[in-house]
Amino acid sequence: MKPIVALVGRPNVGKSTLFNRLTRSRDALVDDFPGVTRDRNYGDAEWDDIPFTVVDTGGFSGQVDDSFAEAIREQVFQAIEDADAVIMLMDGKHGLSPFDRDIVDYLRNAAKPVFYAVNKIDGPDQENALVEFYRLGIEKLYPLSAEHRFGVVDLLDAMVATFTPSTEAPRDEIKLAVVGRPNVGKSSLINRLIGQPRHLVSDIPGTTRDAVDSVLTHYRQQYRLIDTAGIRRKGRVSQKLEKFSILKALRSLDRCDVALILIDASEGITDQDISVAGYAYDRGCGCIFLLNKWDLVEKDHRTVKAFTERLRMEAKFLAFAPVMTISALTGQRLQRIFQLVKEVYDQYTARVSTGKLNRILEKAMQDNEPSLHRGRRIKFYYATQASSQPPTFILFVNYPEAVHFSYQRYLLNQIRQATGLDKTPVRILLRQRTGRIEFKDTPAAREKKRAARKGRTPSKRR
């Protein structure tokens, strides 16, 4: 396992800025408003060819008017316990705080390396601000500016020197983004799956702000679960912070393999649920509908069928996406999620040989020929798979713009049926090609080649 480094400190000292600096990303939300970060946010970093994991935490405070303060403190304590090294950040502009003393007192009992850094020191001429922090009884302080990179090199050099090199090979992981509208149970689901209160859970919509990663291993397969902020309608989003949270939730769909689309079954299927599903479909990721809070639904033997039929009617574009009823609160059917994810992922990354694909296409055209275009026959010359994730096929045709969308859908369904790709998005792209190369490695093509070698006309197939 890679070493884990926890960033701790009181609110608004620059932990998320340092997190972004170390991970060379913009994964953590940064704002002048205190308390932006609430959950533990994990990211990958590397220094001197030594990889490690950085954990951003919420601000440690004792504010009684903040309903999340106690939960955030528990998250900070858990991050310190799990870490191999801790970086405590303090604010060089605003000076020493009583909360700094509380954290230092707690860290003195931590049996792991702790590096005390004073942030917002933009250069050597400002290092006199460190004098006040030596009253904490700390022998070594690291002045730095997370925003301008001053002092970061010295801190990293000292930190990685304490790491024990890992010989474990990196694992392939499946990335799962948990998306949905606010308060449908996304954080509760992830907490239940990983078996610990990793994310803050509250009845207050908007508790989750960042797109937060969690990693777990299930039957030797590693999964990265991405918790996201609830996605609301644009017209209802007014605060700048919420806008950034929703943008990060949408970006998580760009880097995931499978999207778990959570729907509150106790409230029924809403227009916003379908909009969230549309965002996942547009980004081409695998999709699974999870009807959460199923324990709160009054049901009979027809309830599941009625929910599924309505969902299929409202989200016709995701007819391939499996549907499962769950309860994140009771754990009902949660372990089946991994089996279903594996099925979707295997299809999402599947590849079809060129020969098989052309045989499928030839049979589809024999069963249902394309229509004429201005009195001329539309000819499909060749087919190949361009990429996976999702499976994308290129069909070369003489008049690509003339192929009706219904015939494209027919070909797509034929490919799905013949290859078993019934739980993943599949895309076909039409490209123009002039020539007489038709369906290599098919029975008709092989018969033409044999006839050409013998100097006779190939017989017509019945």
Side-chain angles (χ1 to χ4, degrees), residues 358 361 365 378-385 393-400 403 429-434 437-439:
N358 281 282
L361 195 55
M365 291 185 61
I378 296 178
K379 294 183 180 181
F380 287 85
Y381 297 115
Y382 185 69
T384 186
Q385 183 171 354
F393 304 100
I394 297 180
L395 311 182
F396 293 95
V397 60
N398 54 352
Y399 301 113
V403 181
L429 306 175
L430 302 180
R431 295 289 184 265
Q432 186 170 13
R433 177 168 181 175
T434 58
I437 303 175
E438 300 185 16
F439 303 119

Side-chain angles (χ1 to χ4, degrees), residues 59-118:
F60 186 97
S61 70
Q63 296 179 0
V64 297
D65 58 340
D66 187 351
S67 57
F68 297 106
E70 185 60 32
I72 291 175
R73 287 167 69 98
E74 293 299 325
Q75 292 281 330
V76 174
F77 292 149
Q78 186 64 49
I80 295 173
E81 182 179 344
D82 296 341
D84 298 290
V86 179
I87 297 177
M88 179 191 168
L89 228 58
M90 294 171 280
D91 191 334
K93 280 190 176 180
H94 293 87
L96 194 61
S97 164
F99 299 136
D100 294 330
R101 297 182 182 276
D102 294 340
I103 304 174
V104 170
D105 291 340
Y106 182 84
L107 291 176
R108 290 188 197 280
N109 299 320
K112 56 195 64 180
V114 180
F115 300 89
Y116 298 94
V118 180

